[in-house]
Amino acid sequence: MAFDYEYYLRQDKMPHIWCPGCGLGVMLKSMLRAVHGMGWKKDDVVVVSGIGCTGRIPGYVDFNTLHTTHGRALTFAIGIKMVKPHLNVIVVGGDGDMLAIGGNHFIHAARRNVDITAIVYNNEIYGMTGGQVSPTTPHGWRTTTTPYGNLEPRMDIVEIAMGAGATFVARSTVYHTGQLEDYIKKAFEHKGFSVVEVLGHCHTGLGRRNKRPSAVQNFQWEKTVAIPLKAMEKLPPEKREGKIPMGIFRDDKEKVEYTEIYKELMKKAAG
Amino acid sequence: MSKKSDLKFMSGNEACAEGALYAGLTFFAGYPITPSSEIAEYLSAQLPKRGGVFIQMEDEIASMGAVIGASLTGAKSMTATSGPGFSLKQEHIGFACIAEVPCVVVNVQRGGPSTGFPTGPSQSDVMQARWGTHGDHPVIAVSPTTVEECFTEVVRAFNLAEKYRNPVIFLMDEIIGHMREKVRIPEPGELEILSRPRPTVPPEKYKPYDESFGDIPPMAAYGEGYRFHVTGLNHDETGFPTNNGKIIQRTEERLLRKIEANKEDIIKVVDMYADDSPEVVVITFGATVRSARAAVRTLRDTGVKAALLALYTVWPFPETQVREVTEKAKLVVVPELNLGQLIYEVERCASADAKVVGVNKINTEPITPVEIINKVKEEL
């Protein structure tokens, strides 16, 4: 039977604002299937976002929803989770939102290991504001604020999450929808701070200035650029060039989750 | 009669923290900054014991975000900071204003601008408290003058935040924050404790900004079955973004009106000798009230018909109270630990026949009674 997306969507808020061919719809559907797979009640799910195209997801989904300020969604989410740890808190954001203006919050949320899932849509650009360079834009690429090409190196979201101490880290793409759903569900199942980077695209904001103007070209790119982690390890260094590994990079079940630690502290402090 | 055990010798920062707990605080997020850090330190020990959450966040912005998230989940929430941190919190104070999220933001003022003078007293955030965040927005700011009032007034700050679904700035200063005085801890139930209006309709009929309930719509919490949406964008009464200019204007006017129309309830002033047709009126707030009290008494001893108006609510500005007390005055003196901020409001509202002068100081020392007295003598 076909999946009933409508059960989870606020249908009166459709149509959404995203461009035809955007990968965000693919990501959202994968996320909803994963939520369904968890068997969570809608009343027990909170979806929090910052600003940007990805930031509009909460408005479309029939959960407890919060559309916060640019980059700061994780801080609100921590407040929610600490007050009601039984709620399932999902934070969605783009690369600019989560890694540039929200970079500090991302690092510290990962370090604390609060049981929140961060789903990061990486389209390598600021889409909503019209295609300005972001921390994950490839070096040399043209954007509306790098008309001569991007001077800066790109940031690796997985590496940042790993370095900061996130206890579940995965990367998939909007082409690999089955795998994406699986990773998001595994992230939900994980007790601790989990990060799923979703490699996507913005063909209108970035692709059309960099010889990848159509949605199909971009899905093709996602299909070929992302290499399973194990396959990547077997590739000789010269063939790894330009490829992006996908897979589960970390699944650490040892590190104790923050709300659990806090519960222990409350018992201890109360004597 | 108070029992001996109710009496505590504590600092203003500690009294503020203890008062917040009395008001029902269950969530505090903060970031260290002088001269407010003792509030966080005190609550880090107390909240886990009393079933609440304390968390030190990675910065001031994050603390304010966590406070809003917690409040939306039903917790009475607070953060504490000082000038530079208060600047950082402004982004989310605006969010709390537009999304109508109750919370208390303590600002133990210090010298500025920028890093300024961290350990010195100041009252230089009068205007930041009013206009710190961008856009038109409603503001309540409450200011204590003694350590005991740090307790009682922060309870009032929480009550106002909850009642009006608005952030309340608790405008302390370094003098009161670090001073130690006797505090009588009220019995449970002795001070009135208010909580936000709660929805009475079933979830399918709930709208987070339902204007049919008046200017202050009932507020559900996350995880209670209401599944509402909150955004910092202009929104309609369902909470979802709107591009409808009429709704945007109407909603923002309601936000301002819920404070403006309830000024009588929100504003608190305490006067001395105001009903004696004073010719000299001293108007101030916070720690400077202490020096002003002494100055007014001394002036009266020397035959000057002086009065004091102490502003416990700084915002909304007590316009009527200032107008009335200055009606017969020749001279209005506004001592404040800055180079002239409150005086703009006093000038706007005071009797046109009165000369309004400031006593201003930013040399890291408090304003003394003698300085106020000398100013009066110089002007009379």
Side-chain angles (χ1 to χ4, degrees), chain A residues 10 13 43 56 59 62-67 69 72 75-76 79-80 82-84 104-105 108 112 262 266 269, chain B residues 49 51-54 56-59 61-62 65-66 69 73 91-92 95 222-223 227-232 240:
Chain A
R10 288 169 170 151
K13 301 302 163 197
D43 289 344
R56 289 307 183 98
D62 187 20
F63 302 117
N64 302 278
T65 54
L66 177 57
H67 176 221
T69 51
R72 327 267 183 228
T75 70
F76 290 69
I80 294 165
M82 292 303 289
V83 173
K84 290 187 181 161
N104 196 26
H105 310 309
H108 289 278
R112 279 189 196 101
Y262 195 83
M266 285 167 93
Chain B
K49 263 196 239 180
V53 175
F54 170 90
Q56 182 172 317
M57 295 296 285
E58 57 273 17
D59 61 32
I61 305 169
T73 315
E91 176 187 9
H92 283 165
F95 187 96
Y222 285 145
R227 298 208 304 273
F228 57 99
H229 185 63
V230 174
T231 175
F240 288 94

Side-chain angles (χ1 to χ4, degrees), chain B residues 164 215 256-266:
Chain B
Y164 295 106
D215 286 346
L256 297 189
R257 190 172 61 236
K258 72 179 180 180
I259 305 305
E260 190 64 25
N262 292 292
K263 276 164 73 172
E264 263 185 43
D265 181 46
I266 297 167

Side-chain angles (χ1 to χ4, degrees), chain A residues 56-151:
Chain A
R56 289 307 183 98
I57 284 178
Y60 303 138
V61 291
D62 187 20
F63 302 117
N64 302 278
T65 54
L66 177 57
H67 176 221
T68 75
T69 51
H70 199 13
R72 327 267 183 228
L74 283 164
T75 70
F76 290 69
I78 285 172
I80 294 165
K81 186 72 183 178
M82 292 303 289
V83 173
K84 290 187 181 161
H86 71 278
L87 294 176
N88 304 297
V89 182
I90 305 165
V91 176
V92 290
D95 43 286
D97 189 53
M98 288 276 210
L99 273 301
I101 190 164
N104 196 26
H105 310 309
F106 184 81
I107 288 169
H108 289 278
R111 175 180 65 83
R112 279 189 196 101
N113 199 32
V114 186
D115 187 21
I116 291 171
T117 296
I119 302 175
V120 188
Y121 185 73
N122 181 8
N123 59 2
E124 308 180 316
I125 196 79
Y126 287 89
M128 185 174 268
T129 44
Q132 296 81 15
V133 69
S134 94
T136 57
T137 306
H139 178 77
W141 280 43
R142 288 176 197 277
T143 73
T144 54
T145 49
T146 56
Y148 307 106
N150 179 17
L151 301 179

